[in-house]
């Protein structure tokens, strides 16, 4: 009996709360008067768009770098890609200057980093603040490779 009474009171309170919310029966909320975005409008749309752009840029960077074929080590470079919340790159990737437009690649990397930084700041993203050691560039089988350095 106590449970039934509690349930009825809860339903009554919820019913009153719902019927008292602003915006019903022709009332305007303060945000509507100012032409601001309604509380119910999904912010996720912008979030999804931003994460999709970041993922797309990441894929473009990886595709542009490809297999990173080179004739010698002087043609190899190391790209710092992405941004960690505490600073530094998300990861490193070796690329070759022989078969790609390096300026275009660096522009993609800069845009990717800027968007990722923005995403992290706008969403209060935190990280583990670990430092990724900078890999060493090597030439293996005619390809530029980012090899891990020895741990100290």
């Amino acid at each position: 009996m106590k449970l039934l009474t509690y349930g009825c009171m809860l339903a009554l309170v919820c019913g009153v709360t719902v019927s008292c919310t602003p915006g019903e029966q022709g009332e305007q909320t303060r945000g509507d008067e100012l032409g601001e975005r309604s509380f119910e409008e999904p912010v996720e749309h912008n979030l999804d768009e931003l994460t999709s752009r970041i993922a797309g840029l990441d894929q473009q960077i990886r595709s542009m770098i490809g297999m990173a074929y080179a004739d010698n080590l002087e043609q190899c470079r190391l790209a710092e890609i992405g941004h960690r919340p505490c600073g530094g790159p998300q990861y490193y990737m070796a690329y070759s200057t022989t078969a790609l437009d390096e300026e275009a690649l660096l522009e993609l990397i800069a845009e990717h980093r800027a968007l990722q930084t923005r995403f992290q700041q706008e969403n209060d993203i935190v990280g583990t603040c670990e430092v990724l050691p900078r890999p060493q560039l090597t030439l293996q089988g005619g390809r530029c490779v980012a090899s891990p350095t020895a741990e100290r």
Side-chain angles (χ1 to χ4, degrees):
M1 182 71 164
K2 230 180 189 182
L3 184 58
L4 182 58
T5 304
Y6 179 74
C8 289
M9 286 183 3
L10 182 61
L12 180 62
V13 169
C14 289
V16 170
T17 303
V18 170
S19 66
C20 294
T21 56
E24 288 189 14
Q25 300 172 348
E27 294 178 32
Q28 280 190 320
T29 62
R30 180 77 177 136
D32 291 341
E33 291 171 7
L34 299 174
E36 295 173 357
R37 198 167 62 163
S38 168
F39 179 77
E40 288 82 23
E41 285 183 33
V43 177
E44 293 80 27
H45 177 70
N46 292 336
L47 182 65
D48 289 343
E49 184 179 314
L50 187 57
T51 55
S52 178
R53 285 179 57 200
I54 292 168
L57 284 169
D58 188 76
Q59 187 57 46
Q60 279 183 280
I61 292 166
R62 291 174 185 274
S63 293
M64 187 177 245
I65 290 175
M67 298 299 288
Y69 292 112
D71 300 317
N72 57 57
L73 191 57
E74 288 76 35
Q75 297 169 332
C76 298
R77 303 281 186 280
L78 190 62
E80 297 180 350
I81 302 173
H83 179 266
R84 291 175 155 264
C86 290
Q90 185 178 11
Y91 63 92
Y92 293 94
M93 200 165 181
Y95 68 94
S96 172
T97 59
T98 59
L100 63 77
D101 180 351
E102 188 174 22
E103 186 176 323
L105 175 66
L106 295 177
E107 286 176 16
L108 284 176
I109 290 171
E111 183 180 356
H112 179 268
R113 181 179 300 114
L115 286 176
Q116 197 167 43
T117 302
R118 178 178 146 205
F119 172 81
Q120 291 165 351
Q121 290 171 346
E122 288 178 0
N123 295 286
D124 296 322
I125 305 294
V126 295
T128 57
C129 297
E130 60 190 335
V131 176
L132 292 180
R134 186 177 180 85
Q136 182 179 16
L137 278 173
T138 60
L139 188 65
Q140 298 177 9
R143 292 181 51 213
C144 300
V145 177
S147 301
T149 57
E151 297 283 325
R152 290 183 193 181

